[in-house]
């Protein structure tokens, strides 16, 4: 069984009263010249009360003798009808910090137990389309620890996630290779790869 085995059966309009994960909104605003304009967008209604973010993504680095490797996932995404290459990620629960959510989600989705080292500023996924946001949490996974020798994910019923790793030094080239193979590259993965490549080229 693989993420590639998923397929779309049909696509149809969604009744707004039946939507669980998104709301569609028409916002009226004025531009810098005072002209009234409208903007169609989506909102995520699941952000916990008191939280400034919807979700977290993890830059999970596995410490190996051969060098650091980035933990990635393959997951089918119906909106693009492709298997996407993603970082581990998930929604924040009520009362959780970004760091707590990251450690929990990493364990649930991959089985690995990690330690948080850094948390990014709030990032907006696609601000021209929706208000969804997240923080990227840097997590280091010590492969010498017993709990990381044979990681066992705790996936929910509808989750079909395949984990794999890529050496950080090869991430940019690997993204290009995976795209040629038909995978969709999530923006967070691609941006991280671009950053590493730019740092290499410009020696920063």
């Amino acid at each position: 069984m693989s993420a590639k085995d998923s397929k779309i059966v049909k696509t149809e309009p969604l009744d707004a009263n039946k939507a669980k994960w998104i709301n569609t909104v028409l916002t009226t605003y004025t531009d810098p010249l005072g002209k009234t304009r409208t903007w169609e967008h989506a909102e995520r209604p699941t952000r916990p009360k008191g939280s400034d973010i919807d979700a977290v993504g993890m830059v999970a680095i596995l410490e190996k003798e051969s060098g650091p490797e980035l933990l990635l996932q393959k997951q089918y995404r119906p909106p693009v009808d492709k298997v996407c290459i993603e970082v581990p990620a998930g929604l924040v629960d009520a009362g959780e910090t970004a760091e707590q959510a990251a450690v929990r989600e990493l364990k649930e989705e991959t089985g690995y137990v990690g330690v948080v080292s850094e948390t990014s500023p709030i990032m907006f996924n696609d601000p021209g389309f929706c208000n969804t946001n997240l923080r990227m949490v840097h997590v280091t996974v010590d492969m010498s620890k017993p709990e990381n020798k044979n990681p066992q994910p705790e996936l929910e019923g509808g989750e079909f996630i395949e984990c794999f790793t890529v050496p950080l030094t090869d991430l940019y080239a690997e993204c290009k290779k995976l795209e040629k193979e038909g995978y969709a590259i999530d923006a967070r993965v691609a941006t991280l790869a671009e950053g590493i490549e730019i740092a290499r080229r410009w020696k920063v």
Side-chain angles (χ1 to χ4, degrees), residues 72 74 85 164 166 173-185:
L72 296 174
K74 295 177 181 178
I85 306 300
F164 68 107
V166 175
E174 187 67 17
C175 284
K176 288 190 169 185
K177 173 177 170 288
L178 289 165
E179 183 185 43
K180 287 181 179 178
E181 294 175 0
Y183 293 97
I185 311 299

Side-chain angles (χ1 to χ4, degrees), residues 44 56-59 70-77 80 82-90 123-126 132 134 136 164 171 174-176 178-179 182-194:
R44 183 185 288 278
V56 290
M58 282 73 81
V59 179
L70 178 66
L71 181 61
L72 296 174
Q73 299 178 337
K74 295 177 181 178
Q75 188 167 190
Y76 175 75
R77 295 299 192 180
V80 295
K82 285 188 176 185
V83 176
C84 291
I85 306 300
E86 307 174 347
V87 295
M123 303 166 66
F124 290 86
N125 300 358
D126 189 351
T132 302
L134 81 165
M136 292 296 290
F164 68 107
L171 184 58
E174 187 67 17
C175 284
K176 288 190 169 185
L178 289 165
E179 183 185 43
Y183 293 97
I185 311 299
D186 182 271
R188 285 159 287 194
V189 176
T191 301
L192 180 59
E194 286 282 348

Side-chain angles (χ1 to χ4, degrees), residues 63-123:
E63 295 181 310
K64 295 190 175 183
E65 291 182 4
S66 57
E69 296 189 7
L70 178 66
L71 181 61
L72 296 174
Q73 299 178 337
K74 295 177 181 178
Q75 188 167 190
Y76 175 75
R77 295 299 192 180
V80 295
D81 191 24
K82 285 188 176 185
V83 176
C84 291
I85 306 300
E86 307 174 347
V87 295
L91 296 177
V92 174
D93 287 343
E96 274 188 324
T97 64
E99 295 77 12
Q100 290 168 338
V103 172
R104 174 183 57 77
E105 283 286 349
L106 186 69
K107 179 70 166 61
E108 291 175 2
E109 290 193 354
T110 73
Y112 286 108
V113 177
V115 176
V116 173
S117 61
E118 183 67 37
T119 303
S120 78
I122 296 176
M123 303 166 66

Side-chain angles (χ1 to χ4, degrees), residues 17 100 147 190:
N17 294 320
Q100 290 168 338
E147 58 265 35

